[in-house]
C-alpha cells in the first residue's frame, strides 16, 4: 500500500519505483483526484467558517432585539437574508 503523503511529495519517484516493479500503473489520476479532494475540503472549510460567522451575527442581532432594542423591518429583513445565505451554505456543504 502506498502512502498518499509520499505520492503527494514525490510523485515522480513513486511512479519510477512502480515502473521498476513492473506494475506500470499510472499514479497521475491518484494525484489529480487527491488534489481535487483537498481543494473541496478547503472550500468546505471556508464555507463552514462563513456559516458560523453568519449564525453568530444572527444570534447577536436577535439578542439585541430581545434586550429591548426593537428590531426594525430592515433588521428583520437582514436577519432573513442572512438565514437564507446560511441555509444556502449548508446545502453546498451537504453536496
Amino acid at each position: 500500500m502506498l502512502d498518499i503523503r509520499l505520492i503527494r511529495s514525490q510523485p515522480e519517484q513513486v511512479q519510477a519505483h512502480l515502473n521498476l516493479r513492473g506494475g506500470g500503473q499510472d499514479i497521475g489520476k491518484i494525484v489529480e483526484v487527491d488534489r481535487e479532494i483537498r481543494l473541496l475540503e478547503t472550500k468546505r472549510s471556508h464555507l463552514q467558517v462563513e456559516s458560523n460567522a453568519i449564525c453568530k451575527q444572527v444570534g447577536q442581532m436577535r439578542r439585541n432585539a430581545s434586550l429591548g432594542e426593537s428590531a426594525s423591518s430592515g433588521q428583520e429583513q437582514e436577519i432573513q437574508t442572512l438565514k437564507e445565505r446560511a441555509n444556502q451554505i449548508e446545502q453546498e456543504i451537504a453536496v
Side-chain angles (χ1 to χ4, degrees):
M1 179 179 280
L2 294 172
D3 183 0
I4 191 66
R5 292 173 296 192
L6 179 63
I7 295 172
R8 282 181 199 144
S9 65
Q10 301 172 2
E12 296 85 14
Q13 289 179 335
V14 170
Q15 185 65 61
H17 284 285
L18 284 173
N19 293 342
L20 286 175
R21 295 181 69 192
Q25 292 89 0
D26 181 20
I27 64 164
K29 186 67 174 174
I30 294 170
V31 171
E32 179 184 328
V33 169
D34 179 59
R35 186 175 297 121
E36 289 175 23
I37 288 170
R38 290 175 33 210
L39 286 173
L40 289 171
E41 287 173 348
T42 300
K43 180 180 178 182
R44 183 191 58 79
S45 177
H46 288 211
L47 287 170
Q48 190 64 53
V49 167
E50 182 181 353
S51 177
N52 290 347
I54 289 171
C55 290
K56 185 176 180 179
Q57 184 178 1
V58 167
Q60 185 63 42
M61 292 172 82
R62 292 216 183 266
R63 275 190 296 282
N64 289 345
S66 70
L67 291 175
E69 297 178 18
S70 62
S72 68
S73 62
Q75 286 175 324
E76 286 299 325
Q77 181 61 37
E78 184 178 358
I79 289 172
Q80 186 60 34
T81 302
L82 289 170
K83 287 173 65 176
E84 289 171 4
R85 176 61 184 143
N87 288 337
Q88 182 183 38
I89 290 170
E90 292 300 320
Q91 289 177 355
E92 286 183 55
I93 290 173
V95 173

